[in-house]
Amino acid sequence: MLKVRVKVKDRKFSIPVPYAVLNLASLIITSKRVNRFINNAIEKDDSKFIFPEIDRKDLKPLLQGLSKYKGLVLVETRLKDGTEVEVKL
């Protein structure tokens, strides 16, 4: 399970994200229809960036490997205004 912790001034939020939700999100991101929608939205803003097409078979081993490293801190940031964000497996 992916755990996202956010601390803003005097409030703390902890959001658990199960691997099933990550797998569902990967299905949505790798969809050709969603990719076309994102690229059309980017073209309307006259940007030269193109959202790359990602294959599901490339993401699947990555998501399976995440479960082997429980407790690993992926992101840990602290801003000058006291905001803290931590993403942990």
Side-chain angles (χ1 to χ4, degrees), residues 38-51:
I38 292 172
N39 282 328
N40 287 337
I42 292 172
E43 286 177 9
K44 288 181 183 178
D45 293 338
D46 296 327
S47 178
K48 294 180 182 180
F49 177 75
I50 296 174
F51 191 76

Side-chain angles (χ1 to χ4, degrees), residues 51-63:
F51 191 76
E53 202 169 309
I54 303 170
D55 290 331
R56 171 83 172 126
K57 64 180 179 182
D58 294 336
L59 275 182
K60 194 170 184 177
L62 174 71
L63 293 175

Side-chain angles (χ1 to χ4, degrees), residues 2-5 72-76 85-89:
L2 193 71
K3 297 174 186 172
V4 179
R5 293 183 190 165
L72 178 70
V73 177
L74 297 176
V75 177
E76 184 176 16
V85 177
E86 183 180 77
V87 179
K88 186 188 285 190
L89 294 178

